[in-house]
Amino acid sequence: MLLDIALAVLVTVLTVLGTAESARQQGVADELNALGLSLLTVAGLATVAVRSRPLPALAVVAFAHASYILLDYPEGTEYLPTIVAIAGAAAAGFRLAALSVASVGLGSMVLYRILDDTSEWLDTEVLLTVAGMSGA
């Protein structure tokens, strides 16, 4: 249990601080408000249940991450809890659920990059999602 708490705290800190720093470097730090930070925190802290209750953890993390993206908050390390939850669900034997969440996430990222005419669509986020899917 202590290991789960430590992992969740680490994931939360890396997610919140990494995304805040990324937003600052992009010049959009003012767009990351309390709701955005709350969504990042919920996603990070939900990883505490990745080993004990992988499906509910995956659902909470995926919902928080999707909400964050749909509300158009700045990009950063917001994907980290999702990767942890996908890998945890796959490791616990819930491969179809993990693969489904990863596939929807990857598909939406690629589609967004294509529609947004972003030439750098094969970035770290996409590569990490593919890596998470390979565990499924």
Side-chain angles (χ1 to χ4, degrees):
M1 184 65 173
L2 258 154
L3 180 62
D4 296 332
I5 293 170
L7 174 66
V9 169
L10 178 64
V11 168
T12 303
V13 168
L14 291 174
T15 301
V16 171
L17 294 182
T19 302
E21 177 59 20
S22 178
R24 187 190 67 75
Q25 289 180 6
Q26 295 171 45
V28 292
D30 56 326
E31 293 178 19
L32 189 56
N33 60 20
L35 177 58
L37 291 171
S38 297
L39 290 169
L40 294 174
T41 303
V42 165
L45 292 178
T47 62
V48 75
V50 162
R51 290 193 316 159
S52 62
R53 301 193 185 278
L55 287 181
L58 180 62
V60 169
V61 170
F63 181 77
H65 187 185
S67 299
Y68 183 88
I69 297 300
L70 289 172
L71 291 170
D72 201 29
Y73 284 112
E75 291 185 24
T77 56
E78 79 285 347
Y79 56 84
L80 183 59
T82 307
I83 299 299
V84 171
I86 289 169
F94 298 103
R95 288 171 177 75
L96 183 59
L99 188 59
S100 297
V101 170
S103 296
V104 168
L106 179 62
S108 62
M109 282 187 292
V110 171
L111 183 62
Y112 170 77
R113 301 283 198 280
I114 290 170
L115 293 176
D116 195 38
D117 198 28
T118 304
S119 60
E120 303 156 356
W121 67 271
L122 189 60
D123 63 2
T124 306
E125 195 168 346
V126 173
L127 294 175
L128 285 172
T129 303
V130 171
M133 286 176 65
S134 67

